[in-house]
Amino acid sequence: MEFITAGAVPEEMPFMPAIVTKGGTTIWLSGATAFPLVHKHPHDPAELKVPSGIAEQTRACLNNLRTALEAAGGSITDIVEVTIYNTDMDAQDEVNKAYMEFFGDHRPTRTHLGVNRLVGTELKIEISAHAVISE
């Protein structure tokens, strides 16, 4: 396995943004929120400002996933599975619009779950994914 830090200092992070399996074909992406992908642990509240709207937070999540994915050698079209954790299921149309803008014609499998809370009280959405690099 190869651990992808995407610029993080491993000793300061409680997780890796991405892990590439042996052989380099499968990439496991940690859940991304609208928080900066690389940030201090324990959290520094001044560093963790996020947009208030769920569509903007969705875009930030997806861009964070892209950063980790590209650091691991993948691209958006390599994503085969997405899991969305959403604190406001009534806003899923806004999430879907931002999601479809990001993925374009690419449609990975997806699970969209309603949850009570995420790691930050202002966070509305978290997205994780798996990618397979085709040869």
Side-chain angles (χ1 to χ4, degrees), residues 4-41:
I4 308 299
T5 63
V9 177
E11 296 78 23
E12 295 176 1
M13 296 285 287
F15 64 92
M16 287 294 113
I19 295 177
V20 181
T21 58
K22 192 173 185 175
T25 58
T26 304
I27 302 170
W28 302 82
L29 297 163
S30 289
T33 66
F35 284 164
L37 180 62
V38 176
H39 57 271
K40 295 176 188 149
H41 290 86

Short mmCIF file of all heavy atoms in Angstrom, two decimals, residues 4-41:
data_model
loop_
_atom_site.label_atom_id
_atom_site.label_comp_id
_atom_site.label_asym_id
_atom_site.label_seq_id
_atom_site.Cartn_x
_atom_site.Cartn_y
_atom_site.Cartn_z
N ILE A 4 -1.04 8.28 0.60
CA ILE A 4 -1.00 9.57 -0.09
C ILE A 4 -1.37 10.66 0.89
O ILE A 4 -2.50 10.70 1.40
CB ILE A 4 -1.96 9.58 -1.30
CG1 ILE A 4 -1.71 8.37 -2.21
CG2 ILE A 4 -1.85 10.89 -2.05
CD1 ILE A 4 -0.33 8.28 -2.82
N THR A 5 -0.45 11.56 1.16
CA THR A 5 -0.69 12.59 2.17
C THR A 5 -1.28 13.87 1.56
O THR A 5 -1.82 14.70 2.29
CB THR A 5 0.60 12.96 2.89
OG1 THR A 5 1.52 13.53 1.95
CG2 THR A 5 1.21 11.75 3.58
N ALA A 6 -1.15 14.06 0.26
CA ALA A 6 -1.65 15.26 -0.42
C ALA A 6 -1.14 16.54 0.26
O ALA A 6 -1.85 17.52 0.38
CB ALA A 6 -3.18 15.26 -0.51
N GLY A 7 0.10 16.48 0.72
CA GLY A 7 0.72 17.64 1.34
C GLY A 7 0.66 17.68 2.85
O GLY A 7 1.26 18.55 3.47
N ALA A 8 -0.04 16.75 3.46
CA ALA A 8 -0.14 16.71 4.92
C ALA A 8 1.13 16.12 5.52
O ALA A 8 1.83 15.34 4.88
CB ALA A 8 -1.34 15.87 5.35
N VAL A 9 1.41 16.47 6.76
CA VAL A 9 2.48 15.84 7.52
C VAL A 9 1.85 14.64 8.22
O VAL A 9 0.97 14.81 9.08
CB VAL A 9 3.08 16.83 8.54
CG1 VAL A 9 4.15 16.14 9.38
CG2 VAL A 9 3.63 18.06 7.83
N PRO A 10 2.23 13.40 7.83
CA PRO A 10 1.54 12.21 8.36
C PRO A 10 1.43 12.16 9.88
O PRO A 10 0.41 11.73 10.41
CB PRO A 10 2.38 11.05 7.83
CG PRO A 10 3.02 11.59 6.60
CD PRO A 10 3.27 13.06 6.89
N GLU A 11 2.46 12.62 10.57
CA GLU A 11 2.44 12.57 12.03
C GLU A 11 1.40 13.51 12.63
O GLU A 11 1.04 13.38 13.79
CB GLU A 11 3.82 12.93 12.59
CG GLU A 11 4.91 11.94 12.20
CD GLU A 11 5.41 12.10 10.77
OE1 GLU A 11 5.29 13.20 10.18
OE2 GLU A 11 5.91 11.10 10.23
N GLU A 12 0.92 14.49 11.85
CA GLU A 12 -0.04 15.46 12.34
C GLU A 12 -1.48 15.13 11.95
O GLU A 12 -2.40 15.83 12.35
CB GLU A 12 0.33 16.85 11.83
CG GLU A 12 1.65 17.36 12.38
CD GLU A 12 2.06 18.69 11.81
OE1 GLU A 12 1.31 19.27 10.99
OE2 GLU A 12 3.16 19.16 12.16
N MET A 13 -1.67 14.10 11.14
CA MET A 13 -3.01 13.76 10.66
C MET A 13 -3.47 12.44 11.29
O MET A 13 -2.68 11.50 11.37
CB MET A 13 -3.01 13.58 9.13
CG MET A 13 -2.69 14.83 8.35
SD MET A 13 -4.04 16.00 8.30
CE MET A 13 -5.16 15.19 7.18
N PRO A 14 -4.73 12.33 11.72
CA PRO A 14 -5.23 11.07 12.26
C PRO A 14 -5.68 10.10 11.16
O PRO A 14 -6.18 9.02 11.44
CB PRO A 14 -6.40 11.51 13.13
CG PRO A 14 -6.90 12.77 12.49
CD PRO A 14 -5.68 13.44 11.91
N PHE A 15 -5.52 10.49 9.89
CA PHE A 15 -5.92 9.65 8.75
C PHE A 15 -5.10 10.06 7.53
O PHE A 15 -4.46 11.10 7.53
CB PHE A 15 -7.42 9.79 8.45
CG PHE A 15 -7.79 11.20 8.02
CD1 PHE A 15 -7.80 11.55 6.68
CD2 PHE A 15 -8.13 12.16 8.95
CE1 PHE A 15 -8.13 12.84 6.28
CE2 PHE A 15 -8.46 13.45 8.57
CZ PHE A 15 -8.46 13.78 7.22
N MET A 16 -5.16 9.26 6.48
CA MET A 16 -4.54 9.60 5.21
C MET A 16 -5.65 10.03 4.24
O MET A 16 -6.71 9.39 4.20
CB MET A 16 -3.83 8.39 4.60
CG MET A 16 -2.54 8.01 5.28
SD MET A 16 -1.28 9.28 5.10
CE MET A 16 -1.13 9.83 6.78
N PRO A 17 -5.42 11.07 3.45
CA PRO A 17 -6.43 11.47 2.46
C PRO A 17 -6.71 10.39 1.42
O PRO A 17 -7.80 10.28 0.92
CB PRO A 17 -5.81 12.71 1.82
CG PRO A 17 -4.93 13.28 2.88
CD PRO A 17 -4.37 12.07 3.57
N ALA A 18 -5.68 9.56 1.12
CA ALA A 18 -5.88 8.49 0.14
C ALA A 18 -4.86 7.39 0.38
O ALA A 18 -3.77 7.62 0.89
CB ALA A 18 -5.72 9.02 -1.29
N ILE A 19 -5.26 6.17 -0.01
CA ILE A 19 -4.36 5.02 0.02
C ILE A 19 -4.51 4.31 -1.32
O ILE A 19 -5.62 4.09 -1.80
CB ILE A 19 -4.70 4.05 1.17
CG1 ILE A 19 -4.46 4.74 2.52
CG2 ILE A 19 -3.90 2.76 1.06
CD1 ILE A 19 -4.84 3.91 3.73
N VAL A 20 -3.37 3.96 -1.90
CA VAL A 20 -3.36 3.22 -3.16
C VAL A 20 -2.96 1.79 -2.84
O VAL A 20 -1.95 1.55 -2.16
CB VAL A 20 -2.35 3.84 -4.17
CG1 VAL A 20 -2.36 3.07 -5.48
CG2 VAL A 20 -2.67 5.31 -4.40
N THR A 21 -3.74 0.82 -3.32
CA THR A 21 -3.46 -0.58 -3.04
C THR A 21 -2.25 -1.05 -3.85
O THR A 21 -1.85 -0.44 -4.84
CB THR A 21 -4.66 -1.47 -3.38
OG1 THR A 21 -5.00 -1.29 -4.74
CG2 THR A 21 -5.84 -1.16 -2.48
N LYS A 22 -1.69 -2.16 -3.40
CA LYS A 22 -0.55 -2.77 -4.08
C LYS A 22 -0.91 -3.01 -5.54
O LYS A 22 -2.01 -3.46 -5.85
CB LYS A 22 -0.20 -4.09 -3.39
CG LYS A 22 1.11 -4.66 -3.80
CD LYS A 22 1.44 -5.85 -2.94
CE LYS A 22 2.82 -6.34 -3.28
NZ LYS A 22 3.23 -7.43 -2.39
N GLY A 23 -0.02 -2.68 -6.42
CA GLY A 23 -0.30 -2.80 -7.85
C GLY A 23 -0.79 -1.47 -8.42
O GLY A 23 -0.84 -1.29 -9.63
N GLY A 24 -1.17 -0.55 -7.55
CA GLY A 24 -1.51 0.81 -7.98
C GLY A 24 -2.79 0.97 -8.77
O GLY A 24 -2.93 1.92 -9.52
N THR A 25 -3.74 0.05 -8.62
CA THR A 25 -4.95 0.19 -9.43
C THR A 25 -6.17 0.68 -8.66
O THR A 25 -7.08 1.23 -9.25
CB THR A 25 -5.32 -1.15 -10.10
OG1 THR A 25 -5.51 -2.13 -9.09
CG2 THR A 25 -4.22 -1.59 -11.06
N THR A 26 -6.21 0.48 -7.34
CA THR A 26 -7.36 0.92 -6.56
C THR A 26 -6.95 2.02 -5.60
O THR A 26 -5.95 1.89 -4.89
CB THR A 26 -7.98 -0.25 -5.77
OG1 THR A 26 -8.32 -1.29 -6.70
CG2 THR A 26 -9.24 0.19 -5.04
N ILE A 27 -7.73 3.11 -5.58
CA ILE A 27 -7.47 4.23 -4.69
C ILE A 27 -8.66 4.37 -3.74
O ILE A 27 -9.80 4.47 -4.18
CB ILE A 27 -7.27 5.54 -5.47
CG1 ILE A 27 -6.12 5.40 -6.48
CG2 ILE A 27 -7.02 6.71 -4.52
CD1 ILE A 27 -6.02 6.55 -7.46
N TRP A 28 -8.38 4.38 -2.45
CA TRP A 28 -9.39 4.55 -1.42
C TRP A 28 -9.26 5.97 -0.91
O TRP A 28 -8.21 6.35 -0.38
CB TRP A 28 -9.16 3.55 -0.28
CG TRP A 28 -9.20 2.13 -0.77
CD1 TRP A 28 -8.19 1.43 -1.36
CD2 TRP A 28 -10.32 1.27 -0.75
NE1 TRP A 28 -8.61 0.18 -1.69
CE2 TRP A 28 -9.92 0.04 -1.32
CE3 TRP A 28 -11.62 1.40 -0.28
CZ2 TRP A 28 -10.78 -1.04 -1.45
CZ3 TRP A 28 -12.48 0.32 -0.41
CH2 TRP A 28 -12.05 -0.88 -0.98
N LEU A 29 -10.31 6.77 -1.08
CA LEU A 29 -10.29 8.18 -0.69
C LEU A 29 -11.06 8.38 0.60
O LEU A 29 -12.23 7.99 0.71
CB LEU A 29 -10.89 9.04 -1.79
CG LEU A 29 -10.12 8.99 -3.12
CD1 LEU A 29 -10.98 9.51 -4.25
CD2 LEU A 29 -8.83 9.77 -3.01
N SER A 30 -10.41 8.99 1.58
CA SER A 30 -11.07 9.31 2.84
C SER A 30 -12.20 10.29 2.59
O SER A 30 -12.19 11.04 1.62
CB SER A 30 -10.08 9.96 3.81
OG SER A 30 -9.15 9.02 4.27
N GLY A 31 -13.15 10.30 3.50
CA GLY A 31 -14.23 11.28 3.42
C GLY A 31 -13.68 12.69 3.45
O GLY A 31 -12.81 13.01 4.26
N ALA A 32 -14.18 13.52 2.55
CA ALA A 32 -13.75 14.91 2.47
C ALA A 32 -14.93 15.80 2.82
O ALA A 32 -16.06 15.55 2.41
CB ALA A 32 -13.24 15.24 1.07
N THR A 33 -14.65 16.83 3.58
CA THR A 33 -15.66 17.84 3.90
C THR A 33 -15.26 19.14 3.23
O THR A 33 -14.33 19.17 2.42
CB THR A 33 -15.74 18.05 5.43
OG1 THR A 33 -14.51 18.63 5.88
CG2 THR A 33 -16.02 16.75 6.17
N ALA A 34 -15.92 20.22 3.58
CA ALA A 34 -15.56 21.53 3.05
C ALA A 34 -14.38 22.14 3.82
O ALA A 34 -13.87 23.18 3.43
CB ALA A 34 -16.76 22.47 3.11
N PHE A 35 -13.94 21.49 4.91
CA PHE A 35 -12.71 21.93 5.57
C PHE A 35 -11.56 21.79 4.58
O PHE A 35 -11.61 20.93 3.69
CB PHE A 35 -12.39 21.05 6.78
CG PHE A 35 -13.21 21.29 8.02
CD1 PHE A 35 -13.23 20.35 9.03
CD2 PHE A 35 -13.96 22.45 8.20
CE1 PHE A 35 -13.95 20.55 10.19
CE2 PHE A 35 -14.70 22.67 9.36
CZ PHE A 35 -14.69 21.71 10.36
N PRO A 36 -10.50 22.60 4.72
CA PRO A 36 -9.34 22.37 3.86
C PRO A 36 -8.89 20.92 3.99
O PRO A 36 -8.92 20.35 5.09
CB PRO A 36 -8.28 23.33 4.44
CG PRO A 36 -9.06 24.37 5.17
CD PRO A 36 -10.29 23.67 5.68
N LEU A 37 -8.49 20.32 2.88
CA LEU A 37 -8.09 18.91 2.89
C LEU A 37 -6.98 18.68 3.90
O LEU A 37 -7.02 17.74 4.69
CB LEU A 37 -7.63 18.48 1.50
CG LEU A 37 -7.19 17.03 1.37
CD1 LEU A 37 -8.33 16.08 1.69
CD2 LEU A 37 -6.64 16.76 -0.02
N VAL A 38 -5.98 19.53 3.89
CA VAL A 38 -4.88 19.43 4.84
C VAL A 38 -5.06 20.53 5.87
O VAL A 38 -5.10 21.71 5.52
CB VAL A 38 -3.52 19.57 4.12
CG1 VAL A 38 -2.38 19.56 5.12
CG2 VAL A 38 -3.35 18.46 3.08
N HIS A 39 -5.23 20.13 7.12
CA HIS A 39 -5.40 21.10 8.20
C HIS A 39 -4.84 20.53 9.49
O HIS A 39 -4.53 19.35 9.58
CB HIS A 39 -6.87 21.50 8.36
CG HIS A 39 -7.79 20.34 8.60
ND1 HIS A 39 -8.38 19.64 7.59
CD2 HIS A 39 -8.20 19.76 9.74
CE1 HIS A 39 -9.13 18.68 8.08
NE2 HIS A 39 -9.03 18.72 9.41
N LYS A 40 -4.71 21.39 10.47
CA LYS A 40 -4.08 21.02 11.74
C LYS A 40 -4.97 20.08 12.56
O LYS A 40 -6.18 20.18 12.52
CB LYS A 40 -3.79 22.27 12.57
CG LYS A 40 -2.77 23.18 11.95
CD LYS A 40 -2.61 24.44 12.80
CE LYS A 40 -1.74 25.42 12.04
NZ LYS A 40 -2.07 26.78 12.33
N HIS A 41 -4.29 19.23 13.31
CA HIS A 41 -4.95 18.36 14.29
C HIS A 41 -4.15 18.47 15.57
O HIS A 41 -2.95 18.25 15.53
CB HIS A 41 -5.01 16.92 13.80
CG HIS A 41 -5.94 16.74 12.66
ND1 HIS A 41 -5.56 16.95 11.35
CD2 HIS A 41 -7.25 16.43 12.61
CE1 HIS A 41 -6.60 16.74 10.57
NE2 HIS A 41 -7.64 16.43 11.30
#
